[in-house]
């Protein structure tokens, strides 16, 4: 299971940590990845499966961003000329 809860104020560092599975008060929890956003009052807690899906998707998302930035810079330089 994954869940997300946050309130972010300003920019800050991102912390990522592995949470091994454990037993708390007789309840077993699954291993997970915990992402803490700087200046946040919450965190993103991802199951290992969701963390793997995010890892797989991020290169494509970041490539889309880079292409958009490059296209924007090209448009700006064409307008300036």
């Amino acid at each position: 299971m994954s869940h997300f809860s946050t309130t972010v104020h300003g920019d800050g560092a991102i912390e990522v940590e592995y949470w091994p599975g454990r037993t708390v008060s007789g309840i077993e929890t699954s291993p997970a990845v915990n992402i803490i956003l700087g200046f946040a009052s919450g965190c993103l807690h991802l199951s290992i499966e969701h963390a793997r899906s995010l890892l797989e998707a991020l290169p494509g998302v970041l490539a889309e961003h880079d292409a958009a930035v490059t296209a924007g810079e090209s448009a700006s330089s064409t307008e300036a000329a």
Side-chain angles (χ1 to χ4, degrees):
M1 178 173 85
S2 298
H3 61 273
F4 181 72
S5 171
T6 189
T7 301
V8 178
H9 302 282
D11 294 326
I14 295 175
E15 296 178 41
V16 180
E17 54 190 29
Y18 171 71
W19 283 25
R22 59 187 116 187
T23 301
V24 179
S25 300
I27 299 171
E28 284 190 43
T29 63
S30 299
V33 173
N34 200 41
I35 301 171
I36 302 166
L37 303 172
F39 304 112
S41 63
C43 64
L44 174 60
H45 188 82
L46 295 174
S47 67
I48 296 301
E49 294 79 17
H50 286 162
R52 290 184 193 279
S53 294
L54 179 62
L55 176 64
E56 186 178 312
L58 279 176
V61 171
L62 294 173
E64 286 179 50
H65 167 73
D66 292 344
V69 168
T70 300
E73 289 172 354
S74 294
S76 294
S77 63
T78 303
E79 291 172 8

